[in-house]
Every structure is written in C-alpha cells, then in structure tokens.
Amino acid sequence: AQSVTQLDSHVSVSEGTPVLLRCNYSSSYSPSLFWYVQHPNKGLQLLLKYTSAATLVKGINGFEAEFKKSETSFHLTKPSAHMSDAAEYFCVVSDRTGGSYIPTFGRGTSLIVHP
Amino acid sequence: SQTIHQWPATLVQPVGSPLSLECTVEGTSNPNLYWYRQAAGRGLQLLFYSVGIGQISSEVPQNLSASRPQDRQFILSSKKLLLSDSGFYLCAWAAGTTEAFFGQGTRLTVV
C-alpha cells in the first residue's frame, strides 16, 4: 500500500525568503512522485515529477524537489518566494497498487506568503 | 494533445435531488480515469477509478456511483444528494505511472 504524509498543514514565509514544503511517502514499489499546486477554486497544475530518472527534479516557476530514497522523502523547495506562490500544494505518489496505478494525495500544505 | 473536460463548473442542488457530473478526455486511448473529492480544508479523496469501459472500482462507500459508458467518458452520479456530498469534485486521467491530468473541477453545493 502507498501513502503520502505532508508534514505541515500550513507554511508561512516572507516574500523573497526560501520555501520548504515537506513530503514523506511510503510505497511497496519504485514510485513515481509528483507535486501539484492548486490556486483557490481552481483545478490542479503539475509543478514537477520524479519518475526514476534524476533525483533532483526541476519544475515550473522556480520550484524543485529532491528524491531521497533512504529518507523516503520528496521535499519541495524554492529559493525565493513570490506573492503569487501563495496556494495549496499537494504531494502525490503513484505506484502499482492491486494491479492499477492510483495517484494518492497528501492532505496538502497551504503556503502563505507575507509581503 | 490531450485535454480533459469536466462540467459543470459550479452546481447548486437541493438535498434529495439527483446528480450527474460528466468528464471526457480527448487525445488519448484507454486512459485510467479517476474521480476525486476535495472537502473544505482537506486533501483529495479518491472516490472511484476505472481502467477500462465498464470497469469501476470504488474506494469509499458512499452515496455516489460512477460509470464509464465509453472509453473516454467518466460519469459521477447520485440518486439522492446529501448535505455531506458538498465539495469540490475533480476528474483526472493518467496513463500508467505518468502524471495525472486534472479537469477544472466542479464546485457542488447541496442546500
């Protein structure tokens, strides 16, 4: 069985400071891992994905994440936060569960950016 | 290119009324299809998924049902809505372990 734990329900940063959103996963197989962003009342947009290639993954809008198998982590980072980064972020794991691939979501982390 | 359409965008329905939300995918064949629900302040909960026409797996027992009458069509239904069915419903498709692509969602309010 697979699962995802997003360690913080809310993260608050000042504009221009680094962002760290933490994610730990559990998977029986070699998983694919993703980060999505959701702005209020909008659908989900893919930020980046890890699918067993390079462990450091670069995404859109300056975000990146590092896959660490020994720590079962896939934390999302950005060097400098912008006001437009304020949104809900979801970490997602997908592997073969019961013969089908099921994207499993974390509970989400709300990123708050202060001016 | 692949696109996913989900409608309607918003819906206000009285308790006890039926529900039908539709999702269609273009530009791909035999996709895995998913329905998720997002309640206020919570993450996404998988409701149903389908790996082929007529094949539906339910993750959470509830007042809802799903059907896949065509390869790229996925329908979420209810015969009688409950207040607790209110939420943001998202349809998605994926091919294997690649990323899931989401529709824009339906905001359902049951009154």
Side-chain angles (χ1 to χ4, degrees):
Chain A
Q2 59 188 20
S3 65
V4 178
T5 302
Q6 290 184 244
L7 296 157
D8 306 292
S9 59
H10 297 84
V11 169
S12 183
V13 301
S14 297
E15 191 175 20
T17 63
V19 175
L20 170 63
L21 305 183
R22 297 182 294 168
C23 172
N24 287 97
Y25 71 91
S26 172
S27 174
S28 302
Y29 302 93
S30 296
S32 295
L33 294 158
F34 311 89
W35 276 97
Y36 286 84
V37 61
Q38 184 183 32
H39 289 91
N41 295 314
K42 298 291 186 182
L44 275 76
Q45 181 183 21
L46 180 70
L47 279 178
L48 48 80
K49 62 181 177 181
Y50 166 78
T51 54
S52 74
T55 56
L56 182 62
V57 181
K58 294 186 183 299
I60 62 172
N61 300 334
F63 285 95
E64 62 181 37
E66 186 172 7
F67 173 68
K68 291 186 176 181
K69 186 175 181 179
S70 61
E71 299 177 9
T72 60
S73 70
F74 191 56
H75 302 332
L76 182 70
T77 60
K78 183 173 180 177
S80 175
H82 294 163
M83 294 298 292
S84 60
D85 294 328
E88 191 83 12
Y89 291 79
F90 294 96
C91 183
V92 179
V93 62
S94 183
D95 70 14
R96 196 169 182 86
T97 301
S100 299
Y101 291 100
I102 308 295
T104 299
F105 282 74
R107 292 180 63 84
T109 297
S110 179
L111 178 62
I112 302 162
V113 182
H114 299 286
Chain B
S1 63
Q2 304 91 350
T3 56
I4 179 168
H5 303 281
Q6 184 183 342
W7 68 92
T10 60
L11 191 59
V12 180
Q13 292 283 97
V15 169
S17 64
L19 172 74
S20 181
L21 303 181
E22 188 163 344
C23 173
T24 59
V25 180
E26 296 178 358
T28 186
S29 297
N30 196 31
N32 295 335
L33 296 172
Y34 312 89
W35 277 109
Y36 290 87
R37 176 170 61 198
Q38 184 178 30
R42 301 184 64 181
L44 274 73
Q45 178 186 41
L46 179 65
L47 301 177
F48 300 96
Y49 69 93
S50 172
V51 299
I53 295 174
Q55 301 178 60
I56 308 294
S57 296
S58 174
E59 290 295 299
V60 181
Q62 59 209 317
N63 186 42
L64 302 169
S65 62
S67 61
R68 184 171 178 174
Q70 301 180 40
D71 181 44
R72 289 170 288 181
Q73 184 184 29
F74 205 25
I75 298 172
L76 183 68
S77 304
S78 174
K79 292 182 179 178
K80 290 185 177 182
L81 283 169
L82 306 173
L83 287 174
S84 58
D85 291 325
S86 292
F88 191 53
Y89 289 82
L90 285 158
C91 178
W93 77 271
T97 58
T98 63
E99 65 268 33
F101 297 91
F102 287 84
Q104 288 301 298
T106 297
R107 173 73 58 193
L108 172 65
T109 304
V110 182
V111 297

